[in-house]
Amino acid sequence: MDVKSDFDPGNDPDDLDHFHHQQHHQQRRPRGFAAAAAASAGGAAAVAGGKGNKEREREREKERTKLRERHRRAITSRMLAGLRQHGNFTLPARSDMNDVLAALAREAGWTVEGDGTTYRCNPPSHMQDFCHGAPENNIPESTHIPVYVMLPLGIINGFCQLVDPDGLRRDLRHLKSLNVDGVVVDCWWGIVEGWPQNYQWSGYRDLFNIVREVKLKLQVVMAFYEYGGSGVGDMLITLPRWILEIGKENPDIFFMDREGRRNSECLSWGVDKERVFKGRTAVECYDKYLQRSLQKAANLQGHPMWSRGPENAGQYNSKPHETGFFCNRGDYDSYYGRFFLQWYSQALLDHADSVLFLAKLLFEDTEIAVKIPAVYWWYRTASHAAELTAGFYNSSHRDGYAAIFDILKKHSVTAKFAYSSLHPYQETDEAMSDSEGLTWQVMNSAWDQGIAVSGQNAFPCFDRDSYARILETAKHMNSPDHRHLSSFTYLRMSSLLMQRAYSSEFEHFVECMHGNDVALRHCSMTMNTN
């Protein structure tokens, strides 16, 4: 038998003590003068050794307590996500087990008062439904959720010209016949401002006039990043050329990773207040501007050695358990890790605060929405590594979205969330993702702050089952507070959607979103059979 493989004393400190204890008893006992000397030395060492053993045992118990607490928090987090996702429980963002017990008791027909007093006064709601006849569906029929359709990329070319005005007019009229409320279009910085403060709006002006002519509403997405070029026939839209020229002279305007690789798809948050763009400020943390901010924060904390990013966070394709920072019980939850992630996420919050302040001044009475990306991979791990690297300090025991919605509430803007929970949850997912769990966490966190939530599908959908899942999320069925989306954006208009077979399904979906009684009952029957 291989003793090392069957019993490895390095795995557990308690086992290590037991292992050495066994070895001690296997040795031959000294005799005579040797026995007396050993007894004398042992007596002196026992006092110091006993004290040291007690100290070590206390430290071990502290570590075990920490592990048990983290495990308990992880279980609570999964329970909360499941109740919100599958049971439509309206639990606060920072709920604990008392909130869970109260919600379950109320669902079973008990009354739970604020001080915890619990008693039964009425039969459970499902028993009432059984005795008196349950309603055919729990969808709030009067709820009207406006439906917008995202226009395709490429309708405006690189010279800011509308490519096919007649074809666009025909397609918009077709959408109007399907009772669509409006359309959404991307407005690209790289197209509009070819040179500093030299703006070209002609193509967008023509587009807006056609939208007004067809009597549709309009939403405009301000796009300050690079897009496309990865697929065959894709239109590549870069940042303005003059920005790229500045980047050649000063590459620190772009994000940089630990290996020195630059990402020229967007500007670094670190240049928000740096006059590096022809005297203007700009609206991974290794560029010199973010490094300067990190060093300042570390000095204020009295830990100058913390002025660097983590060295053990892995590479782009690393899995959390392969890194020392994001693995279970990794450095992300150490004193340094918590400091770094707090600073890193605060940089994103400060950026959002600055941009929204200027946007509210510029657009005044115009309704503004902020898109929250759905970073759902590694959601079922303790660290939520993908969210952490994106700037969302959301781990299994910390709600990272409440602070974001505090900023949105401060500026009275809407949260727009592109959810991808159109397919059943897959336990075998190698990326440990949970799109539905993330969707319910984000939406409930926003609703708890009193913020309107607008939705958008992340992937194309044309079939009735997908539309039914969207409706289930949008209408938030069985919610006692009747929470629902403020609007929904369908991604996106295509030649396939314009075909009669797919148009009829889409029209039916729009009617359901608008609260049509007959369509809603049909949608409810579809969802109940899935």
Side-chain angles (χ1 to χ4, degrees), residues 3 5 27 40 59 73 90 105-106 136 179-180 187-188 199 287 311 343 358 367 376-378 419 452 499 507 521 528:
V3 177
S5 63
Q27 295 176 357
S40 176
E59 291 300 321
R73 290 177 180 176
T90 56
R106 293 189 182 103
E136 293 187 23
N179 297 316
V180 168
C187 184
W188 297 96
Y199 300 96
D287 61 82
E311 300 290 338
W343 166 83
L358 296 175
E367 183 179 349
Y376 52 83
W377 46 100
W378 305 121
Y419 54 87
Q499 296 179 16
E507 182 179 16
R521 296 182 190 280
N528 290 334

Side-chain angles (χ1 to χ4, degrees), residues 491-508:
L491 183 72
R492 68 180 66 232
M493 188 177 79
S494 64
S495 58
L496 193 60
L497 182 64
M498 295 295 106
Q499 296 179 16
R500 178 175 299 179
Y502 295 104
S503 290
S504 61
E505 290 289 346
F506 182 70
E507 182 179 16
H508 182 76

Side-chain angles (χ1 to χ4, degrees), residues 192-447:
V192 171
E193 191 180 8
W195 298 103
Q197 300 185 12
N198 182 11
Y199 300 96
Q200 177 59 259
W201 297 101
S202 57
Y204 287 102
R205 188 178 294 110
D206 294 340
L207 169 62
F208 299 162
N209 287 334
I210 295 177
V211 173
R212 181 186 292 114
E213 173 189 324
V214 181
K215 297 182 180 180
L216 287 170
K217 296 179 181 179
L218 177 67
Q219 293 182 7
V220 180
V221 178
M222 311 303 291
F224 295 92
Y225 55 92
E226 178 182 302
Y227 186 86
S230 58
V232 178
D234 281 355
M235 176 182 177
L236 175 62
I237 304 173
T238 67
L239 295 180
R241 292 183 179 179
W242 61 276
I243 290 289
L244 298 178
E245 291 296 327
I246 293 175
K248 293 179 181 179
E249 300 176 0
N250 182 12
D252 282 299
I253 67 173
F254 302 123
F255 285 105
M256 184 178 74
D257 64 15
R258 191 176 60 202
E259 282 72 31
R261 292 183 289 256
R262 307 279 180 177
N263 181 0
S264 62
E265 295 181 359
C266 61
L267 297 175
S268 166
W269 304 329
V271 299
D272 278 2
K273 299 180 181 180
E274 301 291 337
R275 294 188 175 275
V276 294
F277 303 108
K278 306 295 184 182
R280 296 154 57 185
T281 58
V283 175
E284 314 192 324
C285 69
Y286 293 89
D287 61 82
K288 69 179 182 182
Y289 300 108
L290 283 177
Q291 282 288 298
R292 186 187 304 165
S293 171
L294 177 57
Q295 184 175 14
K296 181 179 178 180
N299 290 336
L300 288 175
Q301 288 291 321
H303 296 281
M305 71 289 296
W306 288 355
S307 61
R308 294 182 59 83
E311 300 290 338
N312 57 347
Q315 308 298 324
Y316 290 109
N317 294 322
S318 297
K319 298 179 180 179
H321 64 270
E322 298 172 344
T323 72
F325 191 80
F326 295 115
C327 67
N328 190 26
R329 291 180 287 173
D331 290 343
Y332 80 94
D333 201 28
S334 65
Y335 288 114
Y336 160 74
R338 291 193 289 271
F339 158 78
F340 175 79
L341 292 173
Q342 180 63 41
W343 166 83
Y344 190 61
S345 62
Q346 191 62 45
L348 175 61
L349 295 174
D350 293 342
H351 175 73
D353 192 20
S354 300
V355 171
L356 288 174
F357 173 77
L358 296 175
K360 294 293 286 188
L361 288 178
L362 179 62
F363 295 108
E364 295 183 351
D365 298 330
T366 304
E367 183 179 349
I368 297 176
V370 173
K371 187 174 181 180
I372 308 297
V375 186
Y376 52 83
W377 46 100
W378 305 121
Y379 187 83
R380 288 188 286 133
T381 63
S383 64
H384 292 216
E387 292 169 274
L388 298 186
T389 57
F392 302 117
Y393 192 177
N394 187 61
S395 61
S396 61
H397 57 273
R398 188 182 191 279
D399 180 10
Y401 295 96
I404 296 174
F405 295 130
D406 283 338
I407 299 294
L408 270 59
K409 185 175 183 179
K410 171 183 175 181
H411 296 282
S412 302
V413 300
T414 298
K416 187 170 187 178
F417 185 70
Y419 54 87
S420 57
S421 53
L422 298 181
H423 302 287
Y425 175 71
Q426 297 294 332
E427 289 286 352
T428 58
D429 184 8
E430 292 184 1
M432 299 290 287
S433 63
D434 186 359
S435 58
E436 292 187 12
L438 175 63
T439 297
W440 290 118
Q441 180 189 357
V442 171
M443 294 174 65
N444 280 290
S445 182
W447 282 326

